[in-house]
Amino acid sequence: MADAVLIPDFITATLGFAVYLLGARINGKVAVLRQFNIPEPVTGGLLASLVVLLLYLFANVELSFELQTRDALLVLFFAGIGLNARLSDLIAGGKPLLILLILTLVTIVAQNVIGAAGASLFGYPAQAGVLFGSAALIGGHGTAIAWAPEVASATGLDGATELGVAVATLGLVLAALVGGPIARLLVETRGLSPDRPDEEHTVGLPEETTAATEIDHVTIMRVLLHLNLAIILGYALGEAISAAGLKLPLFVPCLIMGIVISNVRAAIAPSAPPVARTPSLALLSEFALGAFLAMSLMSLQLWTIAELGVAIAVIMTAQTVFTVVFVIWVLFPLMGLNYRGAVLAAGFGGFALGATPTAIANMTAVTKRYGPSPIAFIVLPLVSAFFVDIANAIVIQTIVNF
């Protein structure tokens, strides 16, 4: 049995920053990573996770990480997404939002069909297919862990939690790798460009930027104040929602309050110094997302995947092929065959196989290179924040109880 070593939260955060910078340095030197829009924290995080795997295999050391700072950064990031949301964007995003909701439901069902077929093929109970499907993929680690006991109770399957975690882990890796190449294919083969290339970036600064002069200690402090206010009010809203019997991740009410603060501020003080769509907010949002993703990926326990061998390789290959084909031939045409559709295709590839932060990281890498797409950064988080958990729970419960 491997020796377990728990890395304290402060050291985890410090390592996360180092891993992010490592990824940025590698991406700066390896052109193919930039050409295929692989996010910098993905490069560094996956390399670090391989080091953790080698320590497990050859030094018999099992590293795990305290992740409180990582989780706080996720809340900070979504508060920033909320601050960037203009009412005009929410209205303009109505049709894409509806389409994305429907396509997400289709994806949930399809993932579970593929998962159930694969589970049966390799001798697992068909109901365990949800752990090869939407519970672990579009749902992520948290959903997989939450539903694994239900699957175990219904089927008698041993190791259901380990199975769900392994699939979610591999899904996160694949999600971080497929989105950028999908966008590159769509953007460059069709010669796509933003409708408004001069529009502000919502997450991250463009590769060629002159915005650095617009960032100073005052703009950073102003943004941090509004982010903190959104989080404080988000905590309060989260408590009220919980008291009403509805369970949502903390980042959801923080995103909501970010939207409220930004639009109320614009209505009552239109001449006040800007916060939304500023280089300072874009920079802080990218920092929070990048550090979150670097810590998430470096803490992956890749050895859990190997234990499932051929089954996970075959089923996850099928899930990845489905996702790529679906976003290119279904989602992208329905989104209008335009630049925003290409950005959402990159994001949905990351979202369907992994998690919302991975999707946003994919879209950030794309928009930093090709140009902004603010509505994409509003539509996808709204779908993932409000719709997925409810729809996923209904579909999973139906399959498990079948």
Side-chain angles (χ1 to χ4, degrees):
M1 186 174 181
D3 297 326
V5 177
L6 178 64
I7 306 299
D9 180 63
F10 189 82
I11 296 177
T12 297
T14 304
L15 290 172
F17 300 155
V19 164
Y20 183 100
L21 292 172
L22 174 64
R25 186 172 182 84
I26 293 173
N27 276 23
K29 292 182 175 296
V30 182
V32 69
L33 295 174
R34 300 192 303 276
Q35 290 168 359
F36 284 93
N37 307 305
I38 303 301
E40 294 160 341
V42 170
T43 302
L46 290 180
L47 183 60
S49 69
L50 290 174
V51 173
V52 173
L53 175 62
L54 292 175
L55 286 173
Y56 178 82
L57 294 176
F58 297 106
N60 202 36
V61 174
E62 180 178 327
L63 291 184
S64 57
F65 299 84
E66 291 184 342
L67 296 168
Q68 294 94 324
T69 296
R70 183 203 69 167
D71 296 340
L73 288 170
L74 181 66
V75 173
L76 188 76
F77 169 74
F78 275 103
I81 290 290
L83 287 177
N84 274 319
R86 296 170 177 165
L87 287 177
S88 59
D89 287 340
L90 296 175
I91 294 169
K95 183 179 178 181
L97 179 63
L98 178 60
I99 294 172
L100 206 61
L101 287 171
I102 296 170
L103 294 180
T104 300
L105 181 58
V106 171
T107 301
I108 289 171
V109 174
Q111 284 184 344
N112 288 317
V113 170
I114 294 170
S120 299
L121 177 65
F122 289 99
Y124 292 91
Q127 293 98 318
V130 299
L131 297 177
F132 285 109
S134 70
L137 296 178
I138 213 166
H141 285 82
T143 304
I145 292 170
W147 281 98
E150 297 283 339
V151 174
S153 176
T155 64
L157 176 66
D158 293 329
T161 299
E162 290 77 7
L163 169 62
V165 169
V167 174
T169 298
L170 183 55
L172 193 63
V173 173
L174 294 169
L177 296 175
V178 302
I182 287 172
R184 180 177 187 266
L185 173 68
L186 296 176
V187 170
E188 297 193 0
T189 58
R190 293 176 174 269
L192 302 176
S193 60
D195 293 332
R196 292 177 55 191
D198 58 338
E199 201 162 19
E200 307 92 335
H201 284 254
T202 51
V203 181
L205 300 176
E207 291 179 354
E208 301 293 333
T209 181
T210 59
T213 56
E214 302 175 39
I215 301 173
D216 59 27
H217 63 289
V218 174
T219 61
I220 291 289
M221 191 62 71
R222 184 181 299 122
V223 167
L224 285 172
L225 171 63
H226 286 79
L227 286 171
N228 280 18
L229 287 173
I231 292 170
I232 291 169
L233 294 175
Y235 269 101
L237 178 60
E239 290 293 326
I241 292 172
S242 179
L246 181 60
K247 187 176 182 180
L248 289 174
L250 176 60
F251 71 79
V252 176
C254 292
L255 182 149
I256 295 171
M257 294 315 301
I259 295 173
V260 172
I261 289 173
S262 182
N263 287 279
V264 169
R265 184 178 188 271
I268 65 176
S271 60
V275 172
R277 310 288 175 86
T278 59
S280 293
L281 180 53
L283 187 65
L284 285 171
S285 294
E286 184 179 18
F287 162 76
L289 176 63
F292 170 89
L293 197 55
M295 286 183 248
S296 295
L297 290 173
M298 78 180 192
S299 62
L300 294 178
Q301 296 183 324
L302 295 178
W303 56 87
T304 60
I305 299 171
E307 297 170 359
L308 293 171
V310 176
I312 195 171
V314 172
I315 297 172
M316 289 304 294
T317 298
Q319 296 283 17
T320 304
V321 170
F322 163 76
T323 299
V324 172
V325 170
F326 186 76
V327 298
I328 291 175
W329 296 103
V330 179
L331 184 147
F332 178 60
L334 289 176
M335 287 296 172
L337 299 171
N338 54 22
Y339 178 72
R340 184 180 64 197
V343 175
L344 282 171
F348 196 85
F351 165 54
L353 290 171
T356 305
T358 314
I360 302 296
N362 288 347
M363 295 197 301
T364 300
V366 172
T367 55
K368 284 174 65 177
R369 183 177 182 192
Y370 298 113
S373 182
I375 292 178
F377 284 85
I378 302 301
V379 169
L380 192 140
L382 286 175
V383 172
S384 64
F386 295 102
F387 177 73
V388 166
D389 287 341
I390 297 171
N392 212 5
I394 294 171
V395 174
I396 293 169
Q397 188 72 64
T398 301
I399 294 172
V400 171
N401 292 336
F402 182 72

